[in-house]
Amino acid sequence: MKVITGGRVSGKTYQAIKYASENWLYILVRNRQEATEIFQMANKFGFGIPYPVTVEELKRGDGKGTSLERNGIIVDNALSVLQELLPVRINMATVEMEADSDEL
């Protein structure tokens, strides 16, 4: 798994969009508004991507038997997505990093 870190407006979502375009992967976001914003951003930068999927859609099982299961997804703003999934306040999170020499 690749992890992109950086402050606000540092290009993290741009990198996710670029990777999604290059690999035709869906981007998981918190809600429909974020999906629309990312899709519009991709179009603005000239990247073709699948329309982003929301947490609610995955909870309903909309990804069953699709390329989401086969190819995986990109999670944009992972902490907000995690917060959307969990009904409690998150005080801390850790991420296990695997050795990966691939560059985004």
Side-chain angles (χ1 to χ4, degrees):
M1 175 174 68
K2 299 176 187 310
V3 176
I4 300 169
T5 62
R8 284 185 52 80
V9 195
S10 63
K12 299 179 306 294
T13 298
Y14 176 86
Q15 289 181 52
I17 289 169
K18 183 175 184 248
Y19 190 78
S21 177
E22 292 168 350
N23 297 281
W24 199 251
L25 294 172
Y26 285 87
I27 298 175
L28 175 65
V29 295
R30 191 174 48 153
N31 56 42
R32 182 57 54 196
Q33 179 181 345
E34 288 181 10
T36 299
E37 290 169 1
I38 286 181
F39 193 72
Q40 290 173 345
M41 185 184 302
N43 287 333
K44 175 182 172 185
F45 292 123
F47 292 116
I49 63 169
Y51 196 86
V53 62
T54 67
V55 169
E56 186 60 36
E57 290 168 327
L58 284 188
K59 283 182 178 179
R60 282 194 314 251
D62 291 358
K64 295 274 189 225
T66 69
S67 65
L68 291 172
E69 283 187 339
R70 289 187 305 277
N71 303 331
I73 59 171
I74 297 167
V75 178
D76 186 54
N77 200 355
L79 290 179
S80 72
V81 168
L82 185 59
Q83 189 65 66
E84 186 73 19
L85 288 166
L86 301 173
V88 296
R89 184 173 58 124
I90 300 169
N91 291 311
M92 180 184 287
T94 65
V95 177
E96 181 178 326
M97 296 296 298
E98 299 174 8
D100 191 347
S101 61
D102 293 340
E103 293 290 322
L104 289 178

XYZ file of all heavy atoms in Angstrom:
816
model
N 0.848 -1.176 0.000
C 0.000 0.000 0.000
C 0.890 1.234 0.000
O 1.864 1.302 0.725
C -0.903 0.014 1.231
C -1.716 1.279 1.331
S -2.929 1.329 2.662
C -1.899 1.372 4.085
N 0.542 2.192 -0.815
C 1.246 3.462 -0.873
C 0.501 4.453 0.023
O -0.721 4.451 0.053
C 1.268 3.994 -2.297
C 1.973 3.090 -3.269
C 1.863 3.644 -4.678
C 2.393 2.726 -5.717
N 3.691 2.184 -5.512
N 1.232 5.282 0.730
C 0.634 6.313 1.566
C 1.220 7.654 1.149
O 2.437 7.814 1.075
C 0.908 6.050 3.069
C 0.369 7.184 3.916
C 0.297 4.723 3.504
N 0.352 8.600 0.870
C 0.766 9.952 0.507
C 0.480 10.844 1.708
O -0.649 10.880 2.197
C -0.016 10.463 -0.715
C 0.240 9.551 -1.916
C 0.365 11.905 -1.039
C -0.686 9.821 -3.075
N 1.482 11.546 2.172
C 1.291 12.442 3.308
C 1.623 13.869 2.893
O 2.339 14.097 1.923
C 2.174 12.038 4.504
O 3.550 12.126 4.110
C 1.873 10.622 4.966
N 1.100 14.802 3.645
C 1.376 16.210 3.387
C 0.320 17.071 4.037
O -0.728 16.580 4.459
N 0.586 18.346 4.118
C -0.361 19.283 4.702
C -1.514 19.581 3.754
O -1.580 19.054 2.637
N -2.406 20.443 4.219
C -3.530 20.851 3.380
C -3.011 21.533 2.120
O -2.024 22.265 2.154
C -4.442 21.815 4.144
C -5.309 21.130 5.175
C -6.307 22.080 5.846
N -7.120 22.859 4.925
C -8.209 22.422 4.285
N -8.611 21.192 4.454
N -8.887 23.214 3.488
N -3.675 21.251 1.021
C -3.367 21.853 -0.276
C -1.911 21.575 -0.694
O -1.231 22.432 -1.240
C -3.664 23.378 -0.277
C -3.697 23.916 -1.692
C -4.983 23.694 0.401
N -1.448 20.358 -0.412
C -0.076 20.002 -0.786
C -0.015 19.074 -1.993
O 1.064 18.635 -2.382
C 0.648 19.352 0.403
O 0.009 18.139 0.751
N -1.177 18.756 -2.589
C -1.187 17.935 -3.788
C -1.498 16.463 -3.564
O -1.360 15.658 -4.480
N -1.919 16.096 -2.364
C -2.229 14.691 -2.081
C -3.353 14.176 -2.965
O -3.237 13.105 -3.565
C -2.609 14.502 -0.602
C -1.524 14.879 0.386
C -1.974 14.704 1.821
C -3.252 15.407 2.188
N -3.212 16.862 2.151
N -4.432 14.914 -3.060
C -5.573 14.483 -3.868
C -5.200 14.477 -5.348
O -5.596 13.572 -6.078
C -6.797 15.372 -3.610
O -7.163 15.235 -2.218
C -7.977 14.968 -4.477
N -4.413 15.441 -5.782
C -3.938 15.458 -7.163
C -3.179 14.169 -7.468
O -3.388 13.550 -8.509
C -3.045 16.677 -7.412
C -2.442 16.699 -8.790
C -3.138 17.252 -9.866
C -1.190 16.144 -9.028
C -2.598 17.253 -11.146
C -0.643 16.145 -10.305
C -1.349 16.697 -11.358
O -0.813 16.686 -12.617
N -2.299 13.756 -6.564
C -1.535 12.523 -6.761
C -2.460 11.304 -6.798
O -2.253 10.388 -7.600
C -0.490 12.356 -5.661
C 0.655 13.341 -5.774
C 1.681 13.122 -4.694
O 2.161 12.010 -4.505
N 2.001 14.183 -3.968
N -3.478 11.306 -5.953
C -4.443 10.200 -5.940
C -5.210 10.158 -7.266
O -5.423 9.080 -7.831
C -5.406 10.351 -4.767
N -5.614 11.313 -7.753
C -6.337 11.386 -9.027
C -5.449 10.896 -10.165
O -5.880 10.112 -11.015
C -6.829 12.830 -9.293
C -7.959 13.188 -8.334
C -7.258 13.005 -10.743
C -8.330 14.663 -8.329
N -4.215 11.340 -10.186
C -3.281 10.921 -11.237
C -3.100 9.403 -11.214
O -3.150 8.744 -12.260
C -1.940 11.633 -11.040
C -0.925 11.336 -12.121
C 0.327 12.180 -11.909
C 1.289 11.949 -13.046
N 2.483 11.270 -12.672
N -2.913 8.835 -10.037
C -2.726 7.385 -9.896
C -4.002 6.644 -10.315
O -3.937 5.619 -10.985
C -2.350 7.060 -8.446
C -1.912 5.642 -8.238
C -0.633 5.229 -8.592
C -2.772 4.708 -7.676
C -0.223 3.922 -8.398
C -2.367 3.400 -7.478
C -1.090 3.013 -7.832
O -0.699 1.715 -7.646
N -5.156 7.185 -9.938
C -6.436 6.571 -10.324
C -6.581 6.573 -11.838
O -7.050 5.596 -12.425
C -7.600 7.324 -9.683
N -6.180 7.643 -12.474
C -6.268 7.747 -13.924
C -5.327 6.758 -14.609
O -5.712 6.079 -15.561
C -5.938 9.181 -14.360
O -5.946 9.304 -15.757
N -4.110 6.677 -14.125
C -3.113 5.787 -14.722
C -3.479 4.313 -14.568
O -3.111 3.490 -15.393
C -1.744 6.042 -14.084
C -1.159 7.394 -14.441
C 0.044 7.770 -13.589
O 0.335 7.075 -12.578
O 0.693 8.778 -13.925
N -4.186 3.978 -13.484
C -4.493 2.580 -13.171
C -5.983 2.252 -13.234
O -6.386 1.138 -12.903
C -3.937 2.239 -11.788
C -2.437 2.366 -11.753
O -1.736 1.489 -12.205
N -1.943 3.491 -11.239
N -6.795 3.203 -13.640
C -8.255 3.097 -13.702
C -8.813 2.468 -12.423
O -9.471 1.431 -12.410
C -8.735 2.340 -14.941
C -10.177 2.628 -15.218
C -11.218 1.758 -15.057
C -10.748 3.865 -15.640
N -12.402 2.386 -15.363
C -12.148 3.691 -15.728
C -10.239 5.124 -15.942
C -13.024 4.699 -16.110
C -11.113 6.123 -16.318
C -12.485 5.899 -16.405
N -8.523 3.143 -11.302
C -8.997 2.711 -9.992
C -10.001 3.723 -9.452
O -9.894 4.922 -9.718
C -7.828 2.600 -9.010
C -6.795 1.524 -9.296
C -5.602 1.674 -8.364
C -7.415 0.143 -9.167
N -10.955 3.230 -8.687
C -11.917 4.100 -8.021
C -11.277 4.759 -6.811
O -10.413 4.167 -6.152
C -13.139 3.307 -7.562
C -14.065 2.928 -8.685
C -13.861 1.759 -9.413
C -15.142 3.739 -9.026
C -14.711 1.411 -10.452
C -15.992 3.393 -10.059
C -15.770 2.224 -10.770
O -16.607 1.893 -11.794
N -11.726 5.964 -6.508
C -11.303 6.683 -5.311
C -12.463 6.638 -4.326
O -13.599 6.963 -4.685
C -10.923 8.142 -5.632
C -9.732 8.187 -6.599
C -10.604 8.908 -4.342
C -9.363 9.577 -7.075
N -12.178 6.239 -3.090
C -13.181 6.209 -2.033
C -13.137 7.521 -1.266
O -12.071 7.972 -0.843
C -12.914 5.051 -1.064
C -13.826 4.971 0.166
C -15.269 4.692 -0.236
C -13.321 3.918 1.137
N -14.320 8.138 -1.106
C -14.436 9.391 -0.368
C -15.553 9.280 0.662
O -16.332 8.332 0.658
C -14.716 10.580 -1.312
C -13.534 10.820 -2.232
C -15.976 10.368 -2.117
N -15.634 10.279 1.511
C -16.598 10.266 2.604
C -18.038 10.377 2.131
O -18.909 9.670 2.619
C -16.247 11.418 3.547
C -16.966 11.395 4.854
C -16.448 12.472 5.749
N -16.379 13.733 5.007
C -16.457 14.915 5.560
N -16.584 15.030 6.853
N -16.406 15.994 4.824
N -18.307 11.261 1.175
C -19.700 11.501 0.785
C -19.800 11.925 -0.678
O -18.800 12.113 -1.358
C -20.346 12.554 1.707
C -19.571 13.849 1.724
O -19.112 14.329 0.695
N -19.406 14.429 2.904
N -21.026 12.090 -1.146
C -21.289 12.419 -2.553
C -20.702 13.776 -2.932
O -20.220 13.958 -4.052
C -22.809 12.386 -2.791
C -23.243 12.661 -4.215
C -22.679 11.769 -5.276
N -22.882 10.358 -5.032
C -22.224 9.377 -5.657
N -21.338 9.657 -6.569
N -22.454 8.127 -5.378
N -20.726 14.740 -2.035
C -20.159 16.059 -2.334
C -18.665 15.949 -2.646
O -18.182 16.535 -3.610
C -20.382 17.023 -1.169
C -19.779 18.399 -1.418
C -19.976 19.350 -0.257
O -20.775 19.110 0.631
N -19.224 20.426 -0.257
N -17.933 15.182 -1.837
C -16.506 15.000 -2.088
C -16.279 14.253 -3.399
O -15.328 14.543 -4.121
C -15.843 14.263 -0.931
C -15.716 15.113 0.310
C -15.025 14.402 1.460
O -14.468 13.300 1.260
O -15.041 14.956 2.572
N -17.152 13.293 -3.710
C -17.042 12.550 -4.970
C -17.154 13.508 -6.150
O -16.353 13.451 -7.093
C -18.111 11.465 -5.049
N -18.122 14.391 -6.099
C -18.326 15.358 -7.172
C -17.129 16.292 -7.292
O -16.652 16.565 -8.401
C -19.617 16.170 -6.924
O -20.722 15.263 -6.896
C -19.834 17.215 -7.999
N -16.611 16.767 -6.155
C -15.471 17.681 -6.176
C -14.234 17.017 -6.792
O -13.531 17.623 -7.601
C -15.157 18.172 -4.761
C -16.211 19.116 -4.215
C -16.040 19.399 -2.731
O -15.087 18.881 -2.098
O -16.883 20.146 -2.187
N -13.982 15.769 -6.430
C -12.817 15.072 -6.971
C -12.991 14.799 -8.460
O -12.051 14.959 -9.247
C -12.541 13.776 -6.178
C -11.938 14.166 -4.835
C -11.624 12.836 -6.948
C -11.576 13.017 -3.949
N -14.191 14.409 -8.866
C -14.438 14.146 -10.276
C -14.248 15.417 -11.093
O -13.633 15.397 -12.172
C -15.839 13.560 -10.469
C -16.051 12.974 -11.828
C -15.446 11.776 -12.193
C -16.857 13.612 -12.756
C -15.629 11.230 -13.453
C -17.055 13.079 -14.014
C -16.442 11.879 -14.359
N -14.743 16.542 -10.592
C -14.562 17.818 -11.284
C -13.095 18.232 -11.325
O -12.611 18.756 -12.333
C -15.407 18.903 -10.615
C -16.888 18.717 -10.845
C -17.741 19.689 -10.044
O -17.283 20.332 -9.101
N -19.013 19.778 -10.415
N -12.375 17.986 -10.233
C -10.953 18.300 -10.184
C -10.196 17.470 -11.225
O -9.326 17.993 -11.934
C -10.388 18.020 -8.782
C -8.949 18.442 -8.608
S -8.235 18.001 -6.988
C -9.355 18.825 -5.880
N -10.530 16.192 -11.329
C -9.883 15.322 -12.320
C -10.122 15.860 -13.725
O -9.189 15.936 -14.539
C -10.408 13.892 -12.194
N -11.350 16.236 -14.021
C -11.672 16.791 -15.340
C -10.903 18.084 -15.593
O -10.398 18.307 -16.697
C -13.176 17.034 -15.474
C -13.942 15.741 -15.631
O -13.415 14.750 -16.116
N -15.200 15.747 -15.213
N -10.803 18.920 -14.577
C -10.089 20.191 -14.701
C -8.622 19.964 -15.071
O -8.053 20.688 -15.877
C -10.175 20.961 -13.378
C -9.389 22.232 -13.333
C -9.491 22.896 -11.970
C -8.536 24.066 -11.861
N -8.534 24.640 -10.512
N -8.009 18.930 -14.496
C -6.605 18.624 -14.769
C -6.425 17.710 -15.974
O -5.306 17.350 -16.320
C -5.939 17.997 -13.548
C -5.779 18.949 -12.391
C -6.318 18.654 -11.154
C -5.080 20.144 -12.544
C -6.167 19.521 -10.092
C -4.928 21.010 -11.481
C -5.471 20.704 -10.252
N -7.533 17.321 -16.611
C -7.450 16.504 -17.812
C -7.266 15.017 -17.565
O -6.815 14.300 -18.453
N -7.618 14.546 -16.370
C -7.504 13.126 -16.040
C -8.858 12.454 -16.141
O -9.848 12.949 -15.600
C -6.967 12.922 -14.617
C -5.540 13.328 -14.432
C -5.208 14.368 -13.588
C -4.521 12.661 -15.096
C -3.888 14.745 -13.395
C -3.192 13.032 -14.921
C -2.878 14.078 -14.065
N -8.899 11.308 -16.803
C -10.105 10.496 -16.833
C -10.050 9.493 -15.698
O -9.073 8.749 -15.571
N -11.057 9.507 -14.825
C -11.125 8.562 -13.710
C -12.551 8.028 -13.599
O -13.497 8.683 -14.037
C -10.727 9.200 -12.357
C -11.692 10.326 -11.962
C -9.276 9.684 -12.376
C -11.541 10.829 -10.540
N -12.710 6.857 -12.986
C -14.066 6.406 -12.677
C -14.676 7.367 -11.645
O -13.948 7.942 -10.837
C -13.876 5.023 -12.064
C -12.459 4.646 -12.282
C -11.696 5.906 -12.561
N -15.989 7.521 -11.680
C -16.629 8.417 -10.704
C -16.368 7.870 -9.296
O -16.600 6.686 -9.035
C -18.131 8.521 -10.980
C -18.757 9.687 -10.267
C -18.744 10.948 -10.842
C -19.325 9.533 -9.016
C -19.293 12.041 -10.193
C -19.876 10.616 -8.345
C -19.853 11.869 -8.935
O -20.388 12.947 -8.280
N -15.861 8.695 -8.370
C -15.527 8.211 -7.027
C -16.706 7.552 -6.315
O -17.870 7.878 -6.556
C -15.088 9.485 -6.300
C -14.571 10.367 -7.392
C -15.494 10.100 -8.557
N -16.387 6.626 -5.445
C -17.382 5.882 -4.682
C -17.380 6.401 -3.241
O -16.352 6.858 -2.744
C -17.098 4.364 -4.755
C -15.759 4.016 -4.149
C -18.193 3.559 -4.123
N -18.541 6.344 -2.591
C -18.665 6.863 -1.226
C -18.692 5.730 -0.203
O -18.966 4.577 -0.538
C -19.946 7.693 -1.058
O -21.076 6.832 -1.190
C -20.012 8.822 -2.072
N -18.439 6.096 1.037
C -18.503 5.139 2.146
C -19.881 4.488 2.181
O -19.999 3.267 2.328
C -18.193 5.838 3.491
C -18.524 4.940 4.672
C -16.743 6.294 3.532
N -20.918 5.273 2.026
C -22.286 4.748 2.079
C -22.519 3.694 0.993
O -23.159 2.665 1.230
C -23.302 5.883 1.951
C -24.744 5.456 2.141
C -25.026 4.832 3.509
O -24.431 5.281 4.513
O -25.837 3.886 3.565
N -21.998 3.935 -0.197
C -22.165 2.965 -1.284
C -21.479 1.645 -0.949
O -22.030 0.571 -1.209
C -21.610 3.544 -2.588
C -22.459 4.674 -3.137
C -21.788 5.434 -4.259
O -20.542 5.574 -4.259
O -22.520 5.896 -5.146
N -20.302 1.722 -0.350
C -19.615 0.481 0.035
C -20.351 -0.225 1.164
O -20.439 -1.451 1.177
C -18.174 0.761 0.444
C -17.197 1.040 -0.677
C -15.768 1.114 -0.137
C -17.273 -0.002 -1.765
N -20.885 0.538 2.113
C -21.666 -0.064 3.202
C -22.879 -0.817 2.665
O -23.250 -1.858 3.190
C -22.153 1.016 4.177
C -21.114 1.543 5.121
C -21.787 2.554 6.041
C -20.889 3.132 7.060
N -21.581 4.129 7.905
N -23.483 -0.289 1.608
C -24.651 -0.949 0.998
C -24.260 -2.181 0.196
O -25.114 -2.948 -0.234
C -25.362 0.017 0.039
C -26.223 1.050 0.686
C -27.145 1.720 -0.335
N -26.494 2.105 -1.562
C -26.238 3.355 -1.942
N -26.564 4.359 -1.172
N -25.660 3.605 -3.099
N -22.974 -2.343 -0.065
C -22.516 -3.489 -0.832
C -22.471 -3.250 -2.319
O -22.406 -4.199 -3.106
N -22.496 -1.987 -2.737
C -22.501 -1.660 -4.165
C -21.243 -2.121 -4.899
O -21.244 -2.215 -6.120
C -22.682 -0.150 -4.372
C -24.064 0.341 -3.978
O -24.899 -0.483 -3.580
O -24.298 1.556 -4.066
N -20.169 -2.423 -4.164
C -18.934 -2.838 -4.817
C -18.780 -4.340 -4.986
O -17.820 -4.815 -5.582
N -19.746 -5.100 -4.491
C -19.656 -6.568 -4.565
C -19.574 -7.045 -6.012
O -20.362 -6.646 -6.852
C -20.866 -7.212 -3.895
C -20.952 -6.948 -2.409
C -20.140 -7.959 -1.659
C -20.421 -7.815 -0.180
N -19.262 -7.833 0.626
N -18.583 -7.889 -6.297
C -18.446 -8.477 -7.611
C -17.986 -7.522 -8.696
O -18.108 -7.820 -9.878
N -17.455 -6.366 -8.315
C -17.019 -5.377 -9.301
C -15.502 -5.239 -9.275
O -14.814 -5.896 -8.487
C -17.643 -3.993 -9.016
O -17.070 -3.479 -7.803
C -19.157 -4.081 -8.881
N -14.988 -4.343 -10.091
C -13.549 -4.094 -10.112
C -13.064 -3.529 -8.772
O -11.869 -3.609 -8.472
C -13.179 -3.143 -11.245
O -13.734 -1.874 -11.036
N -13.963 -2.990 -7.970
C -13.564 -2.518 -6.640
C -12.975 -3.667 -5.834
O -11.964 -3.513 -5.161
C -14.760 -1.925 -5.880
C -15.330 -0.622 -6.408
C -16.610 -0.273 -5.676
C -14.318 0.488 -6.274
N -13.610 -4.831 -5.896
C -13.100 -6.000 -5.181
C -11.859 -6.570 -5.860
O -10.917 -6.981 -5.198
C -14.174 -7.087 -5.092
C -15.222 -6.819 -4.049
C -16.172 -7.996 -3.862
O -16.285 -8.846 -4.773
O -16.788 -8.055 -2.798
N -11.863 -6.605 -7.166
C -10.740 -7.203 -7.899
C -9.483 -6.345 -7.836
O -8.388 -6.853 -7.639
C -11.125 -7.427 -9.361
C -12.130 -8.534 -9.581
C -12.335 -8.822 -11.066
N -12.713 -7.669 -11.865
C -13.969 -7.209 -11.974
N -14.948 -7.799 -11.322
N -14.226 -6.160 -12.736
N -9.624 -5.053 -8.043
C -8.461 -4.173 -8.200
C -8.156 -3.310 -6.990
O -7.103 -2.690 -6.934
C -8.666 -3.262 -9.412
C -8.897 -4.052 -10.673
O -8.421 -5.166 -10.818
N -9.663 -3.486 -11.583
N -9.091 -3.207 -6.054
C -8.897 -2.352 -4.891
C -9.274 -0.906 -5.186
O -9.745 -0.584 -6.274
N -9.061 -0.051 -4.208
C -9.439 1.356 -4.325
C -8.336 2.252 -3.791
O -7.401 1.793 -3.146
C -10.747 1.661 -3.553
C -10.585 1.309 -2.075
C -11.928 0.975 -4.157
C -11.726 1.762 -1.205
N -8.497 3.512 -4.043
C -7.655 4.562 -3.480
C -8.531 5.294 -2.466
O -9.667 5.645 -2.776
C -7.203 5.539 -4.578
C -6.345 4.803 -5.610
C -6.466 6.729 -3.977
C -6.120 5.597 -6.878
N -8.025 5.503 -1.281
C -8.789 6.219 -0.260
C -8.243 7.638 -0.174
O -7.062 7.836 0.114
C -8.688 5.524 1.122
C -9.462 6.311 2.177
C -9.196 4.095 1.038
N -9.092 8.612 -0.464
C -8.693 10.013 -0.340
C -9.105 10.511 1.033
O -10.223 10.261 1.484
C -9.350 10.875 -1.423
C -8.830 12.299 -1.396
O -7.594 12.473 -1.469
O -9.640 13.229 -1.304
N -8.194 11.202 1.694
C -8.441 11.731 3.029
C -8.887 10.608 3.960
O -9.998 10.594 4.478
C -9.456 12.873 2.981
C -9.373 13.747 4.217
O -8.627 13.461 5.150
N -10.152 14.812 4.226
N -7.996 9.652 4.156
C -8.293 8.415 4.874
C -8.871 8.631 6.269
O -9.757 7.893 6.686
C -7.041 7.542 4.957
N -8.398 9.635 6.979
C -8.917 9.842 8.331
C -10.384 10.260 8.317
O -11.171 9.822 9.151
C -8.068 10.850 9.097
C -6.674 10.341 9.468
C -5.891 11.411 10.207
C -6.751 9.072 10.280
N -10.796 11.087 7.356
C -12.210 11.463 7.302
C -13.068 10.278 6.870
O -14.194 10.121 7.331
C -12.439 12.671 6.389
O -12.291 12.324 5.043
N -12.535 9.424 5.985
C -13.263 8.215 5.587
C -13.408 7.285 6.786
O -14.484 6.754 7.043
C -12.547 7.501 4.412
C -13.116 6.108 4.188
C -12.674 8.333 3.141
N -12.331 7.100 7.538
C -12.389 6.259 8.737
C -13.387 6.823 9.746
O -14.169 6.080 10.339
C -10.997 6.152 9.353
C -10.833 5.217 10.538
C -11.225 3.795 10.173
C -9.390 5.261 11.034
N -13.393 8.134 9.913
C -14.334 8.758 10.841
C -15.776 8.533 10.389
O -16.665 8.332 11.210
C -14.061 10.258 10.969
C -14.852 10.936 12.060
C -14.471 10.435 13.444
O -13.355 10.648 13.897
N -15.384 9.776 14.117
N -16.008 8.540 9.091
C -17.348 8.295 8.553
C -17.790 6.857 8.838
O -18.964 6.583 9.043
C -17.355 8.569 7.047
C -18.701 8.484 6.392
C -19.616 9.653 6.719
O -19.149 10.717 7.160
O -20.832 9.485 6.524
N -16.843 5.935 8.839
C -17.150 4.526 9.091
C -17.415 4.218 10.567
O -18.182 3.316 10.876
C -15.994 3.637 8.613
C -15.842 3.498 7.115
C -14.489 2.893 6.773
C -16.969 2.637 6.563
N -16.756 4.958 11.445
C -16.837 4.663 12.881
C -17.726 5.666 13.604
O -17.605 6.862 13.384
C -15.440 4.675 13.494
C -14.448 3.687 12.894
C -13.056 3.904 13.470
C -14.905 2.265 13.124
N -18.575 5.178 14.501
C -19.503 6.069 15.201
C -18.900 6.753 16.434
O -19.621 7.267 17.263
C -20.637 5.115 15.608
C -19.946 3.813 15.831
C -18.834 3.770 14.803
N -17.581 6.730 16.560
C -16.929 7.359 17.713
C -15.806 8.273 17.231
O -15.313 8.139 16.114
C -16.339 6.291 18.675
C -17.444 5.443 19.282
C -15.326 5.411 17.974
N -15.383 9.181 18.107
C -14.293 10.094 17.787
C -12.981 9.324 17.765
O -12.697 8.511 18.637
C -14.214 11.203 18.823
C -13.175 12.245 18.525
C -13.279 13.381 19.505
N -13.129 12.874 20.861
C -12.229 13.301 21.733
N -11.415 14.278 21.403
N -12.148 12.794 22.927
N -12.162 9.566 16.753
C -10.863 8.915 16.641
C -9.816 9.831 17.267
O -9.658 10.978 16.854
C -10.516 8.640 15.161
C -11.569 7.726 14.543
C -9.121 8.045 15.040
C -11.474 7.615 13.040
N -9.094 9.328 18.256
C -8.052 10.108 18.921
C -6.683 9.884 18.304
O -5.822 10.757 18.357
C -7.986 9.772 20.407
C -9.214 10.264 21.145
O -9.595 11.415 20.995
N -9.843 9.400 21.904
N -6.459 8.706 17.737
C -5.166 8.398 17.146
C -5.349 7.261 16.153
O -6.240 6.433 16.310
C -4.166 7.950 18.227
C -2.791 7.608 17.690
S -1.666 6.969 18.960
C -1.338 8.470 19.866
N -4.498 7.243 15.145
C -4.501 6.144 14.179
C -3.057 5.841 13.815
O -2.204 6.721 13.836
C -5.295 6.524 12.933
N -2.788 4.590 13.505
C -1.466 4.203 13.036
C -1.610 3.566 11.662
O -2.682 3.090 11.302
C -0.780 3.202 13.994
O -1.525 1.978 13.999
C -0.693 3.772 15.398
N -0.542 3.561 10.912
C -0.538 2.953 9.581
C 0.687 2.057 9.485
O 1.805 2.508 9.760
C -0.493 4.023 8.467
C -0.408 3.374 7.103
C -1.683 4.947 8.556
N 0.478 0.811 9.119
C 1.596 -0.103 8.895
C 2.103 0.101 7.485
O 1.341 0.070 6.529
C 1.136 -1.552 9.073
C 2.238 -2.558 8.872
C 1.758 -3.970 9.091
O 0.894 -4.204 9.945
O 2.261 -4.850 8.380
N 3.375 0.338 7.356
C 3.965 0.581 6.048
C 4.729 -0.646 5.596
O 5.550 -1.166 6.334
C 4.920 1.769 6.107
C 4.260 3.084 6.442
S 3.093 3.615 5.206
C 4.152 3.785 3.807
N 4.442 -1.098 4.385
C 5.183 -2.190 3.779
C 6.288 -1.588 2.938
O 6.150 -0.486 2.405
C 4.258 -3.020 2.887
C 3.118 -3.653 3.633
C 2.144 -4.334 2.699
O 2.421 -4.448 1.491
O 1.079 -4.739 3.171
N 7.375 -2.300 2.789
C 8.450 -1.830 1.929
C 7.931 -1.810 0.490
O 7.406 -2.783 -0.003
C 9.658 -2.748 2.037
N 8.031 -0.663 -0.154
C 7.515 -0.514 -1.518
C 8.403 0.493 -2.234
O 8.443 1.661 -1.868
C 6.065 -0.027 -1.468
C 5.396 -0.097 -2.819
O 6.080 -0.274 -3.844
O 4.176 0.044 -2.858
N 9.074 0.045 -3.257
C 10.000 0.927 -3.951
C 9.336 1.692 -5.089
O 9.957 2.519 -5.726
C 11.182 0.124 -4.499
O 10.711 -0.835 -5.412
N 8.064 1.398 -5.374
C 7.368 2.095 -6.457
C 7.133 3.541 -6.088
O 6.733 3.855 -4.983
C 6.002 1.448 -6.747
C 6.160 0.053 -7.333
O 7.239 -0.264 -7.865
O 5.195 -0.704 -7.242
N 7.367 4.409 -7.023
C 7.107 5.835 -6.836
C 5.770 6.179 -7.459
O 5.389 5.624 -8.476
C 8.194 6.667 -7.512
C 9.549 6.535 -6.867
C 9.628 7.177 -5.513
O 9.025 8.246 -5.334
O 10.309 6.627 -4.626
N 5.044 7.095 -6.833
C 3.805 7.606 -7.434
C 4.230 8.643 -8.421
O 3.725 9.069 -9.289
C 2.888 8.215 -6.371
C 2.239 7.218 -5.443
C 1.391 7.975 -4.421
C 1.360 6.250 -6.181
